[in-house]
Amino acid sequence: MTLHASYDPSNIFNKILRGEMPSVKVFEDDVALAFMDVFPQVEGHTLVIPKDVAARNFLDMPENKLGDYMLRVQKVARAVEATLKPDGLRVMQFNGAPAGQTVYHLHFHILPIFDGVKVGAHASGGMKSAADLEPIAAKIRASF
Ligand code: 5GP
């Protein structure tokens, strides 16, 4: 059901794209927007979403826009890595509620992973404020 449904433009990420909801941005161009996850599983948890598409998930993404979007995902992943210098980097993407998806506008998660640092549960835990997220976002932003 949640894997195959029509795109709902009232989803939270589309509101962020339209400027109707705030976000702590780290990268933006005509193809994609990257911002901090407000329920981060680790410090530096970043999301990358495509612009100008009605894609709920990876399967929906128009083929002619996928390549440019994936280049932005890699660009942001490189910036997160260069900024935070983690021991590992997790790049994740969920399709449909049974797979863990909770927001139905395509997005990739970028999680810096540090040896010995526990990764929190997905889409749960404490909500961070813009003030909490801004210092690390500023560092990531500066590394593009
Ligand atoms: P999904 O579960 O769909 O793969 O990922 C959605 C992600 O969006 C979750 O990690 C969740 O913490 C994050 N999220 C949910 N609502 C908001 C929001 O309003 N702003 C931001 N920046 N992230 C959100």
Side-chain angles (χ1 to χ4, degrees), residues 86-123:
D87 300 302
L89 199 70
R90 198 171 287 173
V91 179
M92 319 188 295
Q93 191 275 320
F94 306 125
N95 302 280
Q101 188 174 13
T102 58
V103 178
Y104 297 97
H105 180 105
L106 174 61
H107 51 282
F108 275 74
H109 299 255
I110 295 166
L111 274 69
I113 307 293
F114 293 90
D115 286 339
V117 176
K118 194 171 179 292
V119 176
H122 175 64

Side-chain angles (χ1 to χ4, degrees), residues 10-25 33 35 38 127:
S10 70
N11 74 75
I12 191 84
F13 290 172
N14 200 37
K15 286 184 179 172
I16 288 172
L17 281 174
R18 291 199 302 253
E20 295 167 7
M21 285 289 292
S23 67
V24 178
K25 298 178 185 180
L33 171 67
F35 51 93
V38 289
M127 184 175 179

